[in-house]
Amino acid sequence: IEIRFDNVSFSDPLSGRMVLKNINFTINKNENIGIFGLTGSGKSSLMHLLTRHIEATTGQIYINNHKIEAYDTKSLRSEINFVSQEPLFLEKTLRENIQMSYKLNPENALLQAGGDDILAKGLDVNVAAFGSNFSGGQRQRIHLSRAFVKRTSLLILDDSLGGLDNQTANLVFDNVMKSKQQQKIIISQKFKELSRMDCIICLEEGQIVDIGTADHLLKNNKNFALMFELQGGGDLEL
């Protein structure tokens, strides 16, 4: 998918607050992109514009050189697998919660999300309201397994690995990156993940302040460099 944001802004219709302002960037086909920014910088709103869960106030978004409005929302979302920050659950079986309406192998998807211990419960175990019969880490991995059960042109992970220990997060991220046919947009605060992206968009207070590789941002963006140091520094995976 080629994606282009042309001078896009978004104001919250309830508060009137300008959430995103004058956003301009292009994602080329087969290009993997990272999105970095502090809490409240507008990262999730940017992706909700792409999936049309919210609509731009001004400006235009293009998908493969066509205005995004030219695409039926159902067909648009069928090409985008968006794994959000917060796990959501149905009061149905574990199998149904992973598969949703898709028919790919839920067992394999759960294993790729590091869910060996969850699989031991069986795929036909019922999930309680809000997933309360699973631990927080298990809920996150069930949620992440959905990244592997829906084959789409584009996968978006919205800080989806934040609740996992480093070993499990690395395992899941490695499995995500194994699919070369699927583009990725990774919203993250982790340098190990961002450094594997072709390019990183850096947001501050709803505006793009820099675009470049992890090495470029490390040298030119104070917030990026600070977060890198807080996570122990070391060599970036360039």
Side-chain angles (χ1 to χ4, degrees), residues 90-157:
L90 307 170
E91 291 184 51
K92 296 186 176 182
T93 66
L94 180 59
R95 183 191 308 276
E96 290 170 299
N97 269 275
I98 296 170
Q99 282 188 315
M100 307 300 279
S101 59
Y102 305 97
K103 299 303 179 186
L104 293 179
N105 189 339
E107 180 176 349
N108 183 57
L110 196 55
L111 288 174
Q112 290 189 80
D116 308 58
D117 57 319
I118 305 169
L119 195 57
K121 297 175 180 281
L123 289 170
D124 294 317
V125 64
N126 286 318
V127 177
F130 308 107
S132 59
N133 54 331
F134 293 90
S135 69
Q138 288 176 329
R139 289 196 294 271
Q140 194 69 24
R141 283 176 286 150
I142 294 168
H143 186 48
L144 276 163
S145 70
R146 296 162 180 162
F148 302 104
V149 81
K150 180 182 178 184
R151 300 303 173 99
T152 58
S153 299
L154 175 66
L155 171 65
I156 301 172
L157 295 186

Side-chain angles (χ1 to χ4, degrees), residues 1 51 56 85 116 133 160 203 211:
I1 296 178
T51 57
Q85 296 178 37
D116 308 58
N133 54 331
S160 311
L203 285 172
I211 299 177

Side-chain angles (χ1 to χ4, degrees), residues 48-238:
H48 287 144
L49 285 170
L50 186 56
T51 57
R52 295 194 67 191
H53 286 96
I54 57 176
E55 301 287 349
T57 306
T58 60
Q60 185 62 56
I61 302 168
Y62 295 90
I63 304 291
N64 294 337
N65 291 319
H66 297 287
K67 291 182 178 180
I68 195 169
E69 293 86 2
Y71 296 94
D72 174 89
T73 52
K74 184 177 180 180
S75 62
L76 176 70
R77 293 171 189 170
S78 72
E79 291 300 325
I80 302 174
N81 191 354
F82 183 32
V83 182
S84 60
Q85 296 178 37
E86 295 297 326
L88 299 173
F89 296 97
L90 307 170
E91 291 184 51
K92 296 186 176 182
T93 66
L94 180 59
R95 183 191 308 276
E96 290 170 299
N97 269 275
I98 296 170
Q99 282 188 315
M100 307 300 279
S101 59
Y102 305 97
K103 299 303 179 186
L104 293 179
N105 189 339
E107 180 176 349
N108 183 57
L110 196 55
L111 288 174
Q112 290 189 80
D116 308 58
D117 57 319
I118 305 169
L119 195 57
K121 297 175 180 281
L123 289 170
D124 294 317
V125 64
N126 286 318
V127 177
F130 308 107
S132 59
N133 54 331
F134 293 90
S135 69
Q138 288 176 329
R139 289 196 294 271
Q140 194 69 24
R141 283 176 286 150
I142 294 168
H143 186 48
L144 276 163
S145 70
R146 296 162 180 162
F148 302 104
V149 81
K150 180 182 178 184
R151 300 303 173 99
T152 58
S153 299
L154 175 66
L155 171 65
I156 301 172
L157 295 186
D158 184 2
D159 273 329
S160 311
L161 303 174
L164 302 178
D165 62 83
N166 287 335
Q167 183 176 348
T168 304
N170 290 340
L171 168 71
V172 176
F173 191 70
D174 284 345
N175 287 335
V176 164
M177 295 303 294
K178 283 178 182 176
S179 174
K180 303 301 182 184
Q181 290 75 36
Q182 186 180 55
Q183 275 179 281
K184 291 96 182 170
I185 297 178
I186 308 295
I187 300 175
S188 179
Q189 299 284 348
K190 293 186 177 182
F191 294 95
K192 192 166 186 178
E193 297 162 12
L194 291 170
S195 65
R196 293 174 67 177
M197 298 296 102
D198 298 313
C199 190
I200 302 161
I201 296 169
C202 188
L203 285 172
E204 288 182 15
E205 297 181 350
Q207 298 186 73
I208 294 178
V209 294
D210 212 337
I211 299 177
T213 63
D215 189 42
H216 168 83
L217 289 179
L218 185 61
K219 295 172 182 175
N220 295 282
N221 186 274
K222 291 181 180 179
N223 285 334
F224 192 89
L226 176 60
M227 292 298 289
F228 178 66
E229 291 302 321
L230 289 173
Q231 290 177 29
D235 295 329
L236 284 171
E237 293 189 7
L238 301 174

